[in-house]
Amino acid sequence: MRLLLASMVIYGHAPCFIDATGRSDFIARILHFTYSGNLAVITFFLISGLLVSNSLFSKKNWKVYLVSRLFRLLPGLIFLSICTFFICMYFTGNSFADYIQNSASYVFNNAKLDIQYEIHNVSFLRENHPLDGKYANSINGSLWTIPLEFKMYLLILGIWFISRNIKNAVIIPVCLCVGIFYPLVSQSVLGGNETLYMIPAFFLGSLLSYYKERICLNIFFPVSLIMIAKSIQYEGISNLCMMLGVALLFVWLAGCGIVRKYRLPHDISYGVYLWGWLVEQLVGYFMPWLHYWGFIAVSLLCTFFIAYISCVFVEEPSQKLCKKICSYMGKYY
């Protein structure tokens, strides 16, 4: 299911890199206020909140929790950043020495989650390119969600610390509920609509994790949220319920027996998400003659291949090392 969601991000970003005249996003046709890429990222945040909170609430070891989160985010991101650094040498208008001088900090900045979206004097844009505005020279516009996700990891950890020190079981669910509905009160705090539903989705995943022994996630839960969204007139609440309902529907589908039966041997979804934007830029640059669906198909195939390499040779070895480190920390710290 996560691979499908990552593929939806590539599909949703396609109009940024190829002429999509006469094409419309299938999610945008249904929901009208969002598109497939945004819905996929929101579902990712809900799943992330569910999984990482379950890890923290069950193991109750904040050191292991932080190490696990860093080992999940950074190896693939650093691998992408190093490869991007060398790929962009082909596109720079500077000399080799100038490129190194002006771009040497790219990998380091990304590794510390201070995402650098542009590299000096590097652009993939051809004439009449559909991408413009603030993302016009962005090397990888998808990476902006990574620092936000890590901040959510820290926020959940902070809530857990407060609850543990005060020893009040009500604090965690109250904080999580506030996190779900707070965007409706003050949207400006989130810095724009792009994050409006991602933070509540993460908190909802955490809340489901906290009450996992009491809440059974079945089809009625997401359907109920969708029905509430359809019946409420206030746009803010309606859209929030709709997004969370559809995201929960994906989570429910992921837990169905027929889906779990066909689980892939390697989880390349994170790599697909990381590499998708860059690959689409390269495909659009070197194959500008491709039509809309051909562009999406080539982009997906190339991204799957690179994500597989990242998964097998970078992410999975890093996870094995992480387990050894966490096992040691669990014994002695």
Side-chain angles (χ1 to χ4, degrees):
M1 181 58 68
R2 282 184 288 189
L3 179 58
L4 172 62
L5 295 171
S7 301
M8 285 172 58
V9 175
I10 292 177
Y11 164 76
H13 287 158
C16 296
F17 310 104
I18 196 83
D19 183 13
T21 304
R23 310 284 183 177
S24 59
D25 187 283
F26 77 98
I27 293 295
R29 290 199 299 269
I30 298 171
L31 298 183
H32 305 296
F33 63 90
T34 190
Y35 73 105
S36 58
N38 194 36
L39 175 62
V41 172
I42 288 165
T43 309
F44 268 129
F45 267 69
L46 194 153
I47 294 172
S48 181
L50 183 63
L51 296 178
V52 303
S53 298
N54 187 55
S55 173
L56 178 62
F57 297 156
S58 60
K59 295 179 180 178
K60 304 184 187 313
N61 188 321
W62 67 271
K63 301 182 187 73
V64 170
Y65 171 80
L66 278 180
V67 170
S68 299
R69 294 306 95 218
L70 288 172
F71 267 85
R72 184 68 184 107
L73 288 181
L74 291 184
L77 178 62
I78 293 172
F79 175 66
L80 165 73
S81 300
I82 293 172
C83 293
T84 302
F85 176 80
F86 287 106
I87 290 171
C88 288
M89 286 183 179
Y90 177 85
F91 296 92
T92 183
N94 296 338
S95 65
F96 177 77
D98 288 340
Y99 177 79
I100 297 297
Q101 180 179 355
N102 293 317
S103 309
S105 62
Y106 178 77
V107 176
F108 177 73
N109 287 339
N110 286 355
K112 64 179 184 177
L113 298 181
D114 181 16
I115 302 300
Q116 183 176 327
Y117 297 99
E118 299 181 9
I119 293 180
H120 180 69
N121 206 22
V122 172
S123 177
F124 298 96
L125 303 188
R126 289 182 177 271
E127 188 176 355
N128 299 323
H129 198 287
L131 189 64
D132 57 10
K134 63 179 179 179
Y135 299 119
N137 293 310
S138 178
I139 304 301
N140 198 328
S142 295
L143 300 185
W144 70 271
T145 64
I146 306 299
L148 176 62
E149 185 169 357
F150 186 69
K151 290 176 182 177
M152 297 306 299
Y153 296 163
L154 297 180
L155 188 54
I156 290 297
L157 180 60
I159 293 173
W160 178 78
F161 267 133
I162 294 172
S163 174
R164 189 183 68 167
N165 292 329
I166 298 180
K167 301 185 183 306
N168 190 330
V170 179
I171 288 179
I172 290 181
V174 168
C175 290
L176 297 180
C177 288
V178 170
I180 293 171
F181 293 104
Y182 181 66
L184 300 177
V185 179
S186 180
Q187 298 182 10
S188 61
V189 172
L190 300 179
N193 290 329
E194 289 178 315
T195 59
L196 182 58
Y197 305 108
M198 295 171 191
I199 295 176
F202 191 96
F203 278 122
L204 177 59
S206 296
L207 191 65
L208 291 175
S209 172
Y210 188 77
Y211 286 114
K212 65 180 180 180
E213 303 297 334
R214 302 182 186 181
I215 296 178
C216 178
L217 182 57
N218 53 42
I219 185 63
F220 298 105
F221 199 170
V223 168
S224 298
L225 278 174
I226 293 172
M227 292 176 64
I228 291 172
K230 285 292 187 180
S231 62
I232 292 178
Q233 297 297 320
Y234 178 60
E235 184 178 7
I237 298 179
S238 175
N239 290 349
L240 176 63
C241 290
M242 178 62 73
M243 291 295 284
L244 296 181
V246 176
L248 278 173
L249 187 60
F250 276 104
V251 174
W252 173 78
L253 287 171
C256 291
I258 190 170
V259 176
R260 298 178 66 179
K261 181 180 178 181
Y262 295 101
R263 180 173 294 178
L264 298 174
H266 302 282
D267 182 10
I268 64 172
S269 59
Y270 183 54
V272 171
Y273 179 78
L274 288 178
W275 282 89
W277 181 287
L278 177 62
V279 170
E280 284 187 289
Q281 294 228 64
L282 293 172
V283 172
Y285 183 89
F286 289 110
M287 302 180 184
W289 62 84
L290 287 173
H291 59 80
Y292 180 72
W293 288 111
F295 171 83
I296 293 175
V298 172
S299 297
L300 284 173
L301 289 174
C302 293
T303 307
F304 288 172
F305 176 73
I306 300 173
Y308 175 81
I309 294 175
S310 175
C311 178
V312 172
F313 295 103
V314 178
E315 296 168 47
E316 289 182 354
S318 299
Q319 287 301 304
K320 291 179 181 178
L321 175 61
C322 177
K323 288 180 180 179
K324 293 180 180 179
I325 295 174
C326 290
S327 176
Y328 176 82
M329 293 175 65
K331 292 179 180 179
Y332 300 103
Y333 293 95

